[in-house]
Amino acid sequence: MKGFVGLSGAMLIQMYETICPGDPKTFILLLAIVPSLLSVLVMPLVRIYVTSTVDEKKHLDGLSTLSLIIAAYLMIVIILKSTLSLPSWANVVTLSVLLIVLASPLLIAIRAHRDSSIEKPLSPVYSPLVDNLEATTISEEILVLKEDNSLNLLQAMRNVDFWLLFLAMVCGMGSGISTINNIRQLGESLRYSSIEINSLLALWSIWNFIGRFGGGYVSDLLLHSKGWPRPLLMATTLGTMTIGHLIIASGFRGNLYPGSIIIGICYGSQWSLMPTITSELFGVKHMGTIYNTISIASPMGSYIFSVRLIGYIYDHTITGEGNTCYGPHCFRLSFVIIASVAFLGFLVSCVLVFRTKTLYQQIFEKRFHRR
């Protein structure tokens, strides 16, 4: 589900180019109305369901496979549109295929419902939408270990681990979103063409998806097979993000391509790792409140690094007329500082790794004994 959030940007771009090209006002109106209307329409689907003894992993794997297919399809379409001038009918065809593929998870849901109806129901739980989210972001072991020891928001805020996680997210999410906020200005300063800049913006959603999907999958694999703490992967992605920022700061020809790929993947992984780590450290009873409180790190970091840092330095670097700056020097200092911020997040995450390794060792041992 986090992966589909990452893909949503690329999907919306395809809608804009097909439904209302060159008319941003209409597109913004659609963005204001459709999400709210859709939420109202699907409300009746969220109700009490029953569990079954059917193994749901094959259905979840099917949904994961479909998300990878959609990501690959979107990447091919974006690359084709950036290299070829497609007619309007081709845009209609590509969007129609995308909508058909997006509807395909309904087939998996129908099959899962049919399989579950064969088995005897056990106990009521929340809807499949909520159940799938928990199944992909919260391991069964954490529900057992933390259900009776969940912390509320005030209790969590008195915990050092809360502030370590929050600071790491300010550094990681803030530096990542500051990059995408300024990717167009970066491209213009390095004299990228408008087609290249638009491709970078569209492909960001693909790298974001890979980070969100891969971060959750790899962290689960490392935790359950080797017992490695999940914050270790968060530290690794923040360290890698530091390299991505330095690549952008270097200003060499074509630097935005590898830089945006590295930062996009690492930024996306933060959004899948953070809620999972939150549930593991503080329990699931008040996870929604704690998770959304830590999520404030994203807009906070964006304001600090994008507006107060990058914007301030860029304004003082502009020379000549037109309020524009050309050359690698325009953003070099900004991204060296942001790379230092990402490295600070890496160090903070390392502290969190050492503080939580005992907890994750208990999770690993509990799962090992169940085998």
Side-chain angles (χ1 to χ4, degrees):
M1 293 182 72
K2 283 290 183 184
F4 276 114
V5 173
L7 286 177
S8 61
M11 297 176 188
L12 292 173
I13 289 176
Q14 303 308 313
M15 290 181 59
Y16 170 71
E17 293 177 346
T18 304
I19 298 175
C20 46
D23 187 7
K25 292 183 179 180
T26 301
F27 184 63
I28 292 175
L29 180 62
L30 288 175
L31 294 182
I33 296 175
V34 173
S36 300
L37 180 62
L38 185 61
S39 299
V40 173
L41 292 176
V42 301
M43 276 183 183
L45 298 177
V46 183
R47 59 183 185 272
I48 299 297
Y49 285 80
V50 294
T51 58
S52 70
T53 57
V54 176
D55 183 12
E56 301 290 347
K57 187 177 186 302
K58 63 179 181 180
H59 303 305
L60 293 173
D61 289 343
L63 292 172
S64 299
T65 302
L66 280 175
S67 67
L68 291 173
I69 292 173
I70 293 172
Y73 173 76
L74 282 169
M75 184 166 64
I76 293 172
V77 169
I78 291 169
I79 293 174
L80 286 176
K81 287 186 176 182
S82 64
T83 55
L84 304 174
S85 180
L86 298 180
S88 58
W89 65 264
N91 289 332
V92 174
V93 171
T94 56
L95 180 61
S96 300
V97 173
L98 175 62
L99 294 177
I100 292 173
V101 178
L102 282 175
S104 57
L106 288 174
L107 299 177
I108 297 178
I110 293 172
R111 186 183 308 155
H113 181 71
R114 185 175 62 248
D115 292 346
S116 63
S117 64
I118 300 175
E119 300 292 328
K120 182 179 178 180
L122 295 179
S123 59
V125 293
Y126 293 108
S127 74
L129 295 175
V130 180
D131 188 50
N132 284 346
L133 174 60
E134 292 182 348
T136 53
T137 59
I138 307 172
S139 60
E140 180 183 356
E141 293 79 5
I142 305 307
L143 291 173
V144 175
L145 288 173
K146 284 290 185 176
E147 185 176 7
D148 296 329
N149 298 315
S150 295
L151 304 180
N152 60 34
L153 177 60
L154 294 179
Q155 292 171 330
M157 292 180 69
R158 291 196 292 266
N159 193 306
V160 176
D161 294 338
F162 175 92
W163 295 107
L164 290 174
L165 182 59
F166 182 82
L167 180 57
M169 291 301 96
V170 169
C171 297
M173 294 179 177
S175 63
I177 201 169
S178 296
T179 302
I180 187 59
N181 285 346
N182 293 275
I183 198 74
R184 180 170 294 278
Q185 289 80 0
L186 278 163
E188 291 174 349
S189 69
L190 297 174
R191 299 190 183 278
Y192 282 66
S193 67
S194 60
I195 295 177
E196 290 176 314
I197 295 174
N198 291 336
S199 298
L200 286 169
L201 289 168
L203 287 172
W204 175 273
S205 294
I206 308 299
W207 316 137
N208 192 6
F209 161 78
I210 293 175
R212 290 169 183 257
F213 183 86
Y217 179 82
V218 173
S219 64
D220 273 345
L221 182 65
L222 295 178
L223 173 61
H224 298 314
S225 64
K226 299 181 180 297
W228 291 6
R230 211 180 294 268
L232 180 62
L233 183 60
M234 184 173 69
T236 302
T237 56
L238 285 169
T240 308
M241 186 182 285
T242 303
I243 299 174
H245 290 308
L246 290 176
I247 290 175
I248 291 181
S250 65
F252 65 82
R253 184 175 180 82
N255 66 323
L256 290 186
Y257 292 103
S260 63
I261 293 173
I262 292 173
I263 296 173
I265 293 175
C266 294
Y267 169 76
S269 67
Q270 307 302 313
W271 281 108
S272 64
L273 292 171
M274 185 269 283
T276 318
I277 294 173
T278 299
S279 69
E280 291 166 343
L281 296 183
F282 311 115
V284 298
K285 187 175 181 180
H286 301 282
M287 177 189 169
T289 305
I290 299 174
Y291 161 66
N292 284 291
T293 301
I294 298 178
S295 296
I296 297 174
S298 178
M300 179 184 295
S302 174
Y303 175 76
I304 295 173
F305 304 129
S306 185
V307 178
R308 307 306 301 177
L309 176 64
I310 296 179
Y312 177 82
I313 295 177
Y314 182 83
D315 290 341
H316 286 74
T317 309
I318 294 174
T319 56
E321 299 179 357
N323 292 326
T324 57
C325 178
Y326 296 101
H329 67 283
C330 299
F331 290 93
R332 177 169 291 145
L333 177 59
S334 299
F335 275 87
V336 167
I337 296 175
I338 287 182
S340 302
V341 170
F343 186 73
L344 173 62
F346 163 76
L347 296 177
V348 172
S349 299
C350 289
V351 176
L352 189 61
V353 170
F354 286 106
R355 286 183 56 88
T356 59
K357 63 180 181 179
T358 301
L359 170 65
Y360 283 101
Q361 187 62 34
Q362 292 174 356
I363 296 171
F364 175 72
E365 291 175 353
K366 189 174 185 66
R367 183 177 181 87
F368 181 78
H369 290 314
R370 284 186 176 184
R371 293 176 179 176

